[in-house]
Amino acid sequence: MKLLHIDSSALGANSVSRELTRRTVAQWQASHPGTTVEYLDLAADAPSHLNADSLGFRLGLDADSLTDAQKRENAISERLVSQFLAADVVVVGAPMYNFSIPSQLKAWIDRVAQAGRTFTYTEKGPQGLAGGKTVIVASSRGGAYAGNPALAFLDHQESYLATVFGFFGITDVRFVRAEGVAMGPAAKDQALAAADIEIRAQAGVAANEGQAALRA
């Protein structure tokens, strides 16, 4: 089994989401021996945001007409989408930045959201092509949003990630969450303790459990 471990926080050792992904991957390996891990740090090695050069994979440009810059950007996109498709399990560290996700994580999503690779359009509408995976999102938030109707409309982080991975055809998307981490030391400790319980629970469930349930 191949696991792709992705971090996106810019806070380094002070990052809560990085701590959550570290614990999640360690727990997954303990629960599922033989899992191999590949690591991608988007804060250290982020793809550029889409521009005229990096849009080559979407425009269907003829290879002979590509500029050197377009070829380099297409190679980056191909590496990222191939890495994503090869993984059985993907653990994504996703802190909430201004009610959404870090721009470097969005840049990665823009590179792997490729028609014909992770989704396609049919006569009945879009269809995901990357099903059969398990995605575990390690979500960190300074405030408390889950279960709070007054603040739910501000969540464009977890809701967006659930939507985009679902668009790719992934039915088994799980969340481990630490929120309220900016509300004082006691709240942060409580959030991490609650996240630990959720990590053990989620990592103990076999991969692709949602897909198996749909087939049953």
Side-chain angles (χ1 to χ4, degrees), residues 1-5 25 28 35-38 87-91:
M1 182 182 299
K2 295 181 179 179
L3 185 151
L4 175 60
H5 174 184
V25 171
W28 187 275
T35 299
T36 60
V37 177
E38 188 171 1
D88 302 297
V89 179
V90 184
V91 175

Side-chain angles (χ1 to χ4, degrees), residues 13 41 51 92:
D41 188 341
N51 56 31
V92 182

Side-chain angles (χ1 to χ4, degrees), residues 7-15 17-18 41-44 95 97 102 104:
D7 278 325
S8 64
S9 171
L11 295 181
N14 295 317
S15 167
S17 68
R18 286 176 181 268
D41 188 341
L42 293 174
Y97 284 9
Q104 52 267 28

Side-chain angles (χ1 to χ4, degrees), residues 3-214:
L3 185 151
L4 175 60
H5 174 184
I6 301 174
D7 278 325
S8 64
S9 171
L11 295 181
N14 295 317
S15 167
V16 171
S17 68
R18 286 176 181 268
E19 179 61 20
L20 295 182
T21 62
R22 185 190 66 77
R23 296 183 188 186
T24 300
V25 171
Q27 186 62 51
W28 187 275
Q29 289 181 293
S31 301
H32 309 278
T35 299
T36 60
V37 177
E38 188 171 1
Y39 183 60
L40 177 61
D41 188 341
L42 293 174
D45 185 22
S48 64
H49 296 285
L50 291 182
N51 56 31
D53 291 326
S54 56
L55 274 170
F57 71 90
R58 292 192 174 186
L59 299 177
L61 298 174
D62 184 88
D64 292 336
S65 68
L66 295 177
T67 66
D68 289 342
Q70 289 171 328
K71 290 177 181 178
R72 285 194 300 271
E73 292 297 330
N74 280 356
I76 293 171
S77 298
E78 177 60 30
R79 171 174 57 84
L80 293 173
V81 74
S82 295
Q83 182 185 51
F84 172 68
L85 290 173
D88 302 297
V89 179
V90 184
V91 175
V92 182
M96 177 182 275
Y97 284 9
N98 298 318
F99 311 117
S100 186
I101 61 174
S103 62
Q104 52 267 28
L105 180 56
K106 178 60 165 62
W108 174 81
I109 290 171
D110 287 343
R111 296 301 188 110
V112 300
Q114 296 189 28
R117 303 297 298 281
T118 51
F119 71 93
T120 189
Y121 288 107
T122 71
E123 293 178 353
K124 297 182 179 180
Q127 177 181 333
L129 300 176
K133 299 181 186 302
T134 291
V135 172
I136 303 177
V137 176
S139 167
S140 61
R141 300 159 157 195
Y145 300 86
N148 187 343
L151 295 179
F153 75 100
L154 295 174
D155 174 18
H156 304 286
Q157 171 214 21
E158 291 185 8
S159 59
Y160 169 71
L161 291 171
T163 297
V164 75
F165 287 124
F167 186 79
F168 293 164
I170 300 169
T171 59
D172 190 5
V173 181
R174 312 172 190 178
F175 288 87
V176 296
R177 179 186 304 116
E179 63 175 3
V181 298
M183 299 171 69
K188 182 177 180 179
D189 289 343
Q190 184 177 0
L192 289 172
D196 259 342
I197 296 172
E198 192 63 23
I199 286 169
R200 287 193 294 272
Q202 297 293 1
V205 178
N208 310 320
E209 193 75 4
Q211 193 76 10
L214 287 178

